[in-house]
Amino acid sequence: MSAAQEFLRFTGHRSLTKRLTISTLTGRPVHISKIRSTSPTNPGLAPHEVSFLRLLEAITNGSSMQISYTGTTITYHPGLITGAIAGQGAADGDVIVHNIPDTCTRGITYFLLPLCLLAPFSKAHMNVRFTGSGVITSATETGDASVDTFRTAILPLFGLFGIPPARIELRVLQRSCAGPGGKGGGGCVELRFASQVRLPKTLHLNRSPGRIKRIRGVAYSTGVSASNNNRMIHSAREVLNSLSSDIHVAAQYDQAPLVPTGDKAGSKRRLGIGFGLSLVAESNSVGVIYSADVVVPPSGGTVPEDVGKRCAYQLLEAIAQGGCVSQVSASVMLILMAMGSEDVGRLRIAREVLATEDTISLAKDLKTFGASSWGLRDVGDETNDIIISVKGTGVGNVGRKIA
């Protein structure tokens, strides 16, 4: 009988979802301690982290986790990624219904990003519907991208790894911005990921980023005047019209969702009121996408014109940084490269993106989980970009045989 695997030990709450995701992909158990242990008021796991653990439990079979009494320590034994298998977590036909509490302060992409990293390695289709008073579809002040940016700037990149984006569907059934204090929203989002593969293809995205050929976007308003959309679009176009002639920004208006107040009378209130803008720039080089996201703060006090201009300038800044990948999608591509076939893939990345704390932390975590170290070299031109060489570990889909 083989000996049990030793725990890989980490500390702190930063990169918690990435570590649990990589643990599930590689099958390595982890022990994470000192989770907000110095916080005098809210030590331990936050509500959104507990909700993510429940999501992991729903989409896997055989996973086990132990959380300390204070919530500052967790041990996690990963199981098999099963997806929405009837009788094993699927509550509504072939869909897993996951409820997010109203105390959640993170956007829905906090859950969608790790879910889409696990979905290609699932035994069955990964169909999950996110409901509850805590679903926030807009961008958040905590750094989460909006569901529109996720759909237009991240999901298409899966095609570079041989994972057909045509079989990935993201439905926004109810939009919502963050509620008072950044907590709660009341939206509803459904992800249907039917692109399961045996092994992701090796990526070679080390060519020139090319020139911007078109700009797309979505202006959304929830529970406020629909004229805010036109004002955001007009101010953004004032900045971007000189960059490209092919600009199209769609306007989306939704009523604010009704959520229960929790009183005995069963009354409800409107929550998730706000507006925001998501912009995506596509290059003439295949697979090169830049994005920007701006949303009005939950406290208000920002006019739509400021949101539009700020988002446009953020997009220009992302384009000026260079590279073939933006900050919002860098971690997704680097993890898929590390999990791919045992060949060396290459990715051109801007120095500003590589030097962020999240990217450096990801490199350390992948090394801890047994992946090879990254190779770095200068491109050698005026852009000053970096080429990252990543050797895949050959982590395949053990639960599904695909011809």
Side-chain angles (χ1 to χ4, degrees):
M1 186 175 179
S2 60
Q5 283 185 305
E6 291 187 3
F7 286 104
L8 299 178
R9 299 185 178 273
F10 301 94
T11 58
H13 67 280
R14 293 187 65 87
S15 303
L16 179 72
T17 56
K18 285 190 181 71
R19 288 165 177 169
L20 293 175
T21 301
I22 300 172
S23 170
T24 307
L25 289 171
T26 58
R28 301 290 300 274
V30 294
H31 177 278
I32 305 175
S33 59
K34 297 182 180 179
I35 302 174
R36 299 185 184 88
S37 56
T38 58
S39 174
T41 55
N42 296 303
L45 294 168
H48 56 269
E49 293 165 344
V50 175
S51 184
F52 178 73
L53 289 174
R54 290 173 178 163
L55 177 62
L56 272 183
E57 190 177 26
I59 64 172
T60 59
N61 184 23
S63 296
S64 64
M65 54 194 76
Q66 293 82 36
I67 304 174
S68 66
Y69 180 76
T70 58
T72 56
T73 302
I74 176 176
T75 57
Y76 173 65
H77 287 267
L80 182 67
I81 308 170
T82 55
I85 295 181
Q88 293 187 9
D92 184 9
D94 62 341
V95 178
I96 296 173
V97 180
H98 183 67
N99 190 276
I100 299 179
D102 56 3
T103 52
C104 179
T105 57
R106 302 300 299 263
I108 191 62
T109 52
Y110 173 85
F111 302 92
L112 290 174
L113 275 169
L115 192 64
C116 286
L117 285 171
L118 297 173
F121 305 92
S122 174
K123 183 177 182 181
H125 294 178
M126 188 70 75
N127 304 330
V128 181
R129 183 185 303 135
F130 295 92
T131 62
S133 303
V135 179
I136 305 171
T137 64
S138 69
T140 63
E141 292 185 313
T142 51
D144 300 308
S146 69
V147 69
D148 301 291
T149 295
F150 184 83
R151 178 169 50 193
T152 56
I154 297 179
L155 289 183
L157 300 177
F158 282 85
L160 301 174
F161 297 91
I163 305 169
R167 303 191 65 193
I168 307 173
E169 185 178 4
L170 184 61
R171 305 174 181 173
V172 184
L173 306 178
Q174 172 64 62
R175 290 180 178 271
S176 175
C177 296
K183 295 182 180 180
C188 185
V189 174
E190 184 172 301
L191 173 70
R192 289 184 172 268
F193 202 115
S195 294
Q196 279 68 47
V197 295
R198 185 68 185 92
L199 202 65
K201 292 182 179 178
T202 303
L203 176 69
H204 296 284
L205 193 60
N206 55 346
R207 55 184 177 272
S208 171
R211 300 179 65 86
I212 301 301
K213 64 177 180 180
R214 61 171 171 256
I215 297 174
R216 297 292 183 263
V218 176
Y220 52 89
S221 296
T222 307
V224 294
S225 174
S227 64
N228 291 328
N229 289 335
N230 295 330
R231 293 165 65 183
M232 287 186 290
I233 294 171
H234 181 72
S235 61
R237 290 186 70 99
E238 286 182 342
V239 178
L240 298 174
N241 276 340
S242 59
L243 175 68
S244 173
S245 58
D246 188 1
I247 301 176
H248 178 73
V249 183
Q252 180 73 40
Y253 171 77
D254 280 34
Q255 284 191 340
L258 277 171
V259 299
T261 59
D263 59 5
K264 293 182 179 180
S267 58
K268 296 183 178 181
R269 60 167 178 160
R270 297 283 182 184
L271 190 65
I273 298 171
F275 53 86
L277 179 63
S278 166
L279 293 175
V280 172
E282 300 178 33
S283 168
N284 56 11
S285 184
V286 177
V288 180
I289 301 175
Y290 306 99
S291 63
D293 249 322
V294 176
V295 66
V296 65
S299 57
T302 304
V303 296
E305 287 79 7
D306 289 345
V307 172
K309 287 184 178 180
R310 196 183 310 162
C311 190
Y313 284 126
Q314 282 189 14
L315 181 65
L316 294 179
E317 184 179 356
I319 296 171
Q321 285 180 348
C324 293
V325 60
S326 60
Q327 179 60 46
V328 70
S329 55
S331 62
V332 175
M333 300 187 73
L334 290 169
I335 291 176
L336 285 175
M337 290 173 71
M339 298 298 114
S341 57
E342 297 184 44
D343 195 2
V344 178
R346 295 172 179 83
L347 177 65
R348 180 167 177 162
I349 192 170
R351 286 180 182 269
E352 291 83 355
V353 176
L354 177 61
T356 59
E357 185 178 350
D358 289 341
T359 307
I360 294 173
S361 174
L362 176 61
K364 293 179 179 178
D365 289 344
L366 287 173
K367 179 66 175 177
T368 304
F369 278 99
S372 301
S373 300
W374 295 348
L376 305 177
R377 66 177 177 86
D378 288 318
V379 173
D381 58 13
E382 68 279 359
T383 61
N384 214 21
D385 291 340
I386 300 291
I387 299 291
I388 298 182
S389 299
V390 182
K391 185 178 184 297
T393 55
V395 175
N397 190 331
V398 298
R400 180 183 176 93
K401 293 183 180 179
I402 299 178

